[in-house]
Amino acid sequence: MSANPTATGTVTAEPGLAPGGPRRLCVFRIEQLRLGVEVTDVQEVTETLSVTVVPMSPRGVLGVGNLRGQLVTVLDLPALLGLAPDAARSAPEAPVDVIVRFGGELISLPADSVADVLDAAAQTRSRPPDNLTGPVRELVRAVHVLHADLVLELDIPALISAARSSSAARPSRGSQTP
Amino acid sequence: MSAEGGLDLDEVVADFLVECHENLELLDRELVELERGTADRATVSSIFRIIHTIKGTPGFFGFDRLQSVTHVGENLLSRLREQELQPTPEIVTALLAMVDAVREMLAVVESSRGASDGEETYPQLVARIELLTATADVPPAEAAVSAPRPAAVVASPPAVSEPSSPAHRAGKVTDSSIRVDVHALDRIVNLVSELVLARNEILQLAGEVADGRLSAASQRLDVIAGGLQDEVMRTRMHPIGQLFGKFPRVVRDLAISCGREVRLVTSGTETELDRTVIDAIRDPLTHLIRNAVDHGIEPPEERSAAGKPTEGRLGLHAYHQNGQVVVEVGDDGAGIYPSVIRQKAVQKGLLTPESAAACSDEAALQLIFLPGFSTAVAVTGISGRGVGMDVVKTSIEGVGGTVDVLSTPGTGTTFRIRIPLTLAVIPALVVRSAGAKYAVPTADVVELVGVGDGIAAAGGEGAANDIERVHDAEVYRLRGELLPLLDLSRALTGACPRRDGPRDILVLRTAGRRVGLVVDQVLHTSEIVVKPLGSLLQAVPVVAGATILGDGSLALILDLLGLLAEAELHALSTDDGEDDLTPKAGPAAEEDGGALLCQVGGARLVAVPLDATCRLEEFPDTAVEWADGREVVQYRGALLPLIRLRDVGRLNPAAMGGPEHGTAAEAAYLQVIVCPGSEGDIGLAVEHVVDLVTEPIVVLQPSSCLGVAGSGIVRGAVTDVIDVEALLELHSRGTAQLAGAAA
């Protein structure tokens, strides 16, 4: 799942890559992945909200949280990114919720930790490598080479629509849901 | 003058349109009054002024046609005002036609954004009005004296120096009110709702911290936020009279076109309702009124044959009851014949002949709300109701209301609509199921039943106090009826419900059927602010929204219709119409009577008539405090005096065997039946509310004790029937006698 550094292609004039000056990315970590969203999309980073599970919600949605009286839809990022649940993994030390605004609603991206806000110049930005496949491919807008790390820039609208179309968990009558 | 006038003109035109529309509604009403002969001179003057205003303003914009039509109307009205003419039906009809013409022209003005008032000049209407104005010159004898002036003089513009000129009148209104955008108001309401939630959290925190200054400040916040909420909610409230105001015209026009004579009587027009609710009931109410005139009230000749006055009476009454608004639409027409309804239902295949024969008259009436039930063709002349009644029912239920029908064949029909005051805040029960909290709107809950707590039901007649199974289906025997059960945690997650320990059943009545929703525990009631879920969760069928509770946690608001559909319970009732009917008939019967059967002082049973009570509450024993020598509990910001029913109606406590406190079975909680009284509520404390009995209780032996109406046998056990009124009276006179009765 990790992006292959050798696959980072050329920088400019790639289709699907908006040109432009430096972007500022809010970078956070889930397991080994470093993910980024544009800071202009981010409302705030909070300590993890307690999540109320909504039955029969799409699998990509964990539930809803209460952010100072406003409802926040909490996404299940590992599920959306296709990360296999790792039972051995220890609980993150400083989990956070990255709250992004999308079409007048608040969406929470729960993360293991928040890393930094980084300036991402156009030079560091490239198309997702061709051998990046699976659900992640659709959700990653670009890959940034920042310092020694690779940061996957998430495509928020794609993330939302993936969450929406993820199949709903329905109770099967009379038996335990798998 | 036209569109090139630009933005400013747009605004002026918009203001003009709003004002005109308001005035035209008033005009409709006043013209109908005029026709009835109930109008006084002031009304005629008011009509005149309105027309004058409407005529004056278009001249400024260059709406010539609008001006010329209103001009002839004004002439006619000026003669009416001078009493040179008497208002005849022809005159009123012509004036109403003019009002309609004005509406049409205003619609053109609106759609052309103020560019034009259309091409139509209404020559016929103008001629008719001019003719009516001129007939005054060949006046009937009585008018002759007061109408000496020739038509030419009458047609001259009215006195500009009219003492209470339109400008003067408008000034009064605008001084005391401003127009506010509804959306702005909605945002304020939302913010205040947030504030109230924040206040709840602060109050809870202040309670935990126990800092004197903090709690004083939070108390103040509490009062201010509460006051603010009340005021803001009030700004959204409109008197229902605003809605009723358009009906005189509707009724008049309908009555004329159907050949009926109808008098519309309204009351309770000052009853206030949230604007959104008013909007939601406008169409259903119009529909009911149309039906009443069209099908309910008979033609005059039929009425006189039946010995009724030829003029039918259509009543429109609004009032508050139990925190809801009730609107009644009643007529004194032919009524609905249950036999006709039954026959029709069988014809339509909605009922089998057997179940039709078995269903009560009252249940038969409710059939008119079934989709696909229209008596229009077959029974015109007898009743003919039912056209689109299912739509009426659906739209009223859509705003959390209910509608039912009462009818006496031959003497009339009344539709009773109950609607919540507001949609922004709804009362709900907060329940716990599988560790999560859910809110269930109380409007859907008929009653609560506790099961599996090991307390055997008293009387025992077929009331095994536990969940039973019929093959795979879980059921509960509720007063001899099988109540299908739905376990909330299983319905939501598919998890196996736990089977041990006490659980609560919410008996729901929704979409015309009765279902028991099994939850782990009913926690409390709460006024909740409904928050819609985000777009990602809109498709979830079982949840209608979420609310934030006092402790800051979230509770999902259950969408019961969605939940039942999801659980495939709908299959239960659609096959057999009879199943559809029994639940509807049941609660209606309960409302008229019934009593709460309670256990007090050990094994003694007492019955408290249901109509004297308003709700049940539970308090821990420790919540009981003393005030002025009486036991009280703090309840909703006031003191609720308690009367322990075990002390009522007992001549000799010693004979009952020792102290009742301290027995092992003594609950740590008091069940309190709250009864409304003229001098405030009182609480009747009992150990345990056993059940709700619906059958009438026959008093076999009158009582000599204060507060007891008598004794009868309920389910095989002797039961004292409590006289709540006497207790309320005793309470207002002081507790001396009560204490005497107890000692």
Side-chain angles (χ1 to χ4, degrees):
Chain A
M1 147 88 34
S2 62
N4 185 347
T6 58
T8 47
T10 50
V11 175
T12 51
E14 286 288 351
L17 275 190
R23 292 152 173 263
R24 289 165 67 82
L25 289 183
C26 172
V27 179
F28 54 95
R29 196 172 56 78
I30 292 180
E31 294 185 23
Q32 301 310 310
L33 276 184
R34 289 167 78 81
L35 303 165
V37 287
E38 265 196 81
V39 287
T40 49
D41 289 334
V42 177
Q43 169 171 307
E44 63 187 286
V45 177
T46 69
E47 54 184 71
T48 306
L49 303 173
S50 80
V51 176
T52 301
V53 176
V54 178
M56 303 186 196
S57 57
R59 283 186 199 283
V61 179
L62 273 184
V64 288
N66 169 18
L67 179 70
R68 297 187 302 272
Q70 284 191 284
L71 286 192
V72 183
T73 307
V74 184
L75 298 189
D76 187 348
L77 266 189
L80 285 170
L81 295 172
L83 302 182
D86 182 0
R89 180 169 101 90
S90 59
E93 275 173 27
V96 292
D97 273 9
V98 179
I99 311 285
V100 299
R101 277 184 307 270
F102 180 75
E105 289 180 36
L106 296 180
I107 308 283
S108 165
L109 311 175
D112 291 353
S113 66
V114 67
D116 208 347
V117 173
L118 296 176
D119 285 317
Q123 292 77 8
T124 67
R125 188 163 196 260
S126 61
R127 222 159 55 101
D130 291 341
N131 57 352
L132 176 65
T133 54
V136 181
R137 172 90 206 183
E138 306 295 320
L139 306 179
V140 171
R141 197 191 273 173
V143 176
H144 295 265
V145 188
L146 291 167
H147 309 297
D149 295 313
L150 292 178
V151 175
L152 305 184
E153 184 186 340
L154 289 176
D155 185 339
I156 301 284
L159 202 61
I160 303 284
S161 63
R164 180 171 291 134
S165 57
S166 60
S167 64
R170 293 275 165 128
S172 47
R173 272 162 67 76
S175 68
Q176 198 80 28
T177 317
Chain B
M1 184 155 322
S2 60
E4 68 263 24
L7 275 178
D8 286 343
L9 182 59
D10 277 357
E11 220 165 86
V12 179
V13 170
D15 280 349
F16 164 68
L17 287 173
V18 170
E19 197 185 335
C20 279
H21 282 305
E22 277 176 9
N23 282 336
L24 288 175
E25 241 168 63
L26 183 62
L27 207 53
D28 272 344
R29 210 155 58 227
E30 292 182 338
L31 283 172
V32 175
E33 266 180 48
L34 188 67
E35 186 179 40
R36 295 221 147 271
T38 50
D40 48 11
R41 266 196 78 124
T43 315
V44 183
S45 300
S46 157
I47 296 171
F48 180 83
R49 281 196 301 269
I50 294 171
I51 296 285
H52 183 67
T53 317
I54 296 176
K55 180 196 125 179
T57 329
F60 172 70
F61 295 113
F63 298 149
D64 298 337
R65 281 161 288 267
L66 193 51
Q67 195 179 13
S68 64
V69 171
T70 44
H71 178 72
V72 291
E74 192 184 9
N75 288 341
L76 179 57
L77 276 166
S78 104
R79 302 212 57 178
L80 283 174
R81 194 178 50 151
E82 301 303 324
Q83 298 190 325
E84 295 163 3
L85 268 180
Q86 295 304 311
T88 61
E90 295 84 54
I91 289 182
V92 173
T93 306
L95 287 172
L96 284 173
M98 179 196 69
V99 171
D100 288 338
V102 170
R103 279 213 177 89
E104 279 170 29
M105 286 185 277
L106 288 176
V108 177
V109 170
E110 197 166 359
S111 61
S112 68
R113 302 175 57 77
S116 138
D117 57 349
E119 302 302 322
E120 178 64 56
T121 55
Y122 303 95
Q124 282 180 345
L125 176 64
V126 170
R128 194 159 109 221
I129 294 177
E130 277 173 342
L131 182 71
L132 284 168
T133 314
T135 33
D137 298 331
V138 205
E142 56 170 293
V145 190
S146 56
R149 283 187 287 170
V153 177
V154 174
S156 71
V160 189
S161 58
E162 176 72 25
S164 47
S165 70
H168 180 72
R169 187 165 151 272
K172 269 191 197 157
V173 178
T174 46
D175 282 349
S176 59
S177 68
I178 54 165
R179 285 185 204 286
V180 179
D181 181 30
V182 177
H183 299 294
L185 205 52
D186 285 345
R187 284 194 296 276
I188 293 174
V189 170
N190 282 338
L191 285 172
V192 169
S193 306
E194 307 292 350
L195 179 69
V196 167
L197 294 172
R199 180 227 24 209
N200 293 350
E201 281 188 57
I202 297 265
L203 282 180
Q204 193 150 350
L205 281 177
E208 287 164 16
V209 175
D211 176 320
R213 278 163 56 209
L214 178 59
S215 69
S218 67
Q219 289 296 335
R220 216 160 52 237
L221 175 68
D222 182 21
V223 172
I224 295 170
L228 185 61
Q229 188 185 26
D230 281 352
E231 287 301 319
V232 168
M233 287 304 174
R234 199 161 298 150
T235 58
R236 284 171 61 98
M237 293 300 200
H238 279 247
I240 200 166
Q242 206 182 32
L243 176 58
F244 283 3
K246 71 166 197 160
F247 291 131
R249 171 80 194 270
V250 172
V251 169
R252 176 199 179 271
D253 290 358
L254 260 172
I256 288 176
S257 71
C258 309
R260 306 286 200 277
E261 289 174 28
V262 185
R263 170 183 291 270
L264 179 68
V265 183
T266 56
S267 72
T269 50
E270 69 290 339
T271 311
E272 292 198 319
L273 266 178
D274 192 295
R275 207 195 140 91
T276 45
V277 181
I278 290 191
D279 287 344
I281 62 167
R282 173 169 290 137
D283 289 345
L285 214 49
T286 311
H287 198 101
L288 289 178
I289 285 172
R290 276 177 200 282
N291 265 354
V293 177
D294 195 5
H295 307 301
I297 293 173
E298 317 90 321
E301 53 279 12
E302 249 177 64
R303 289 185 65 88
S304 43
K308 295 183 190 179
T310 53
E311 190 179 55
R313 202 183 133 94
L314 177 60
L316 203 50
H317 307 290
Y319 54 92
H320 285 277
Q321 192 182 57
N322 300 336
Q324 286 184 313
V325 169
V326 181
V327 183
E328 286 181 355
V329 182
D331 64 58
D332 63 350
I336 305 176
Y337 289 82
S339 52
V340 178
I341 302 288
R342 282 200 196 93
Q343 190 188 335
K344 186 75 191 166
V346 173
Q347 262 177 41
K348 289 262 169 192
L350 296 166
L351 281 187
T352 59
E354 299 79 52
S355 50
C359 87
S360 67
D361 284 1
E362 198 177 311
L365 281 187
Q366 313 302 327
L367 283 172
I368 61 171
F369 293 114
L370 287 183
F373 188 92
S374 163
T375 59
V377 184
V379 290
T380 300
I382 300 175
S383 120
R385 285 180 196 252
V387 192
M389 278 298 168
D390 59 316
V391 180
V392 169
K393 189 176 165 71
T394 317
S395 37
I396 287 171
E397 284 176 350
V399 294
T402 59
V403 56
D404 49 13
V405 53
L406 313 165
S407 181
T408 316
T411 57
T413 307
T414 299
F415 285 90
R416 190 181 293 149
I417 301 174
R418 290 172 204 274
I419 30 177
L421 285 174
T422 173
L423 301 180
V425 179
I426 59 170
L429 281 176
V430 180
V431 303
R432 193 164 45 77
S433 172
K437 287 180 189 168
Y438 299 94
V440 182
T442 45
D444 296 323
V445 181
V446 182
E447 62 181 296
L448 301 179
V449 181
V451 293
D453 52 3
I455 300 175
E461 186 190 306
N465 192 21
D466 210 350
I467 294 171
E468 297 172 83
R469 299 177 77 83
V470 176
H471 193 52
D472 269 349
E474 289 184 325
V475 295
Y476 178 76
R477 274 190 274 161
L478 181 69
R479 291 187 291 281
E481 260 180 58
L482 281 191
L483 181 73
L485 294 183
L486 176 64
D487 186 275
L488 183 58
S489 66
R490 189 212 294 249
L492 292 180
T493 62
C496 275
R498 70 186 176 84
R499 304 219 180 272
D500 52 330
R503 318 201 61 198
D504 288 326
I505 299 176
L506 279 64
V507 182
L508 309 174
R509 182 163 58 124
T510 181
R513 58 181 186 265
R514 204 191 271 224
V515 175
L517 186 67
V518 184
V519 301
D520 291 349
Q521 194 188 355
V522 173
L523 297 172
H524 53 89
T525 60
S526 182
E527 301 274 305
I528 60 168
V529 178
V530 181
K531 287 172 172 292
L533 295 179
S535 63
L536 281 174
L537 296 167
Q538 287 294 327
V540 176
V542 296
V543 178
T547 190
I548 297 171
L549 300 175
D551 60 358
S553 67
L554 287 175
L556 298 175
I557 302 166
L558 295 178
D559 180 338
L560 296 173
L561 284 179
L563 189 68
L564 297 187
E566 202 59 31
E568 293 168 26
L569 268 183
H570 55 272
L572 281 173
S573 54
T574 42
D575 297 341
D576 183 356
E578 204 182 352
D579 269 351
D580 247 4
L581 296 169
T582 17
K584 282 181 189 164
E590 279 161 25
E591 277 161 23
D592 298 336
L596 287 170
L597 193 62
C598 314
Q599 215 176 330
V600 297
R604 189 177 155 223
L605 287 174
V606 297
V608 181
L610 204 55
D611 50 14
T613 67
C614 66
R615 65 182 79 81
L616 283 179
E617 297 285 350
E618 190 178 60
F619 298 99
D621 273 348
T622 50
V624 179
E625 296 169 87
W626 286 83
D628 193 21
R630 303 175 193 193
E631 285 189 299
V632 297
V633 286
Q634 297 177 24
Y635 179 60
R636 298 193 173 187
L639 296 183
L640 180 71
L642 288 187
I643 296 175
R644 288 185 188 258
L645 284 187
R646 66 155 194 256
D647 297 337
V648 172
R650 290 184 45 187
L651 291 172
N652 185 359
M656 304 295 288
E660 42 251 308
H661 244 291
T663 55
E666 187 74 46
Y669 286 87
L670 270 184
Q671 306 271 345
V672 174
I673 305 166
V674 182
C675 301
S678 54
E679 290 169 41
D681 297 348
I682 61 165
L684 307 180
V686 300
E687 268 153 47
H688 180 55
V689 176
V690 179
D691 204 353
L692 183 67
V693 287
T694 50
E695 56 267 31
I697 301 171
V698 180
V699 172
L700 299 172
Q701 181 190 320
S703 169
S704 54
C705 295
L706 281 165
V708 178
S711 308
I713 297 174
V714 179
R715 296 189 185 162
V718 175
T719 304
D720 283 345
V721 180
I722 298 294
D723 184 347
V724 176
E725 214 156 281
L727 286 180
L728 282 165
E729 201 191 320
L730 267 183
H731 168 71
S732 63
R733 275 196 272 142
T735 48
Q737 282 133 310
L738 192 59

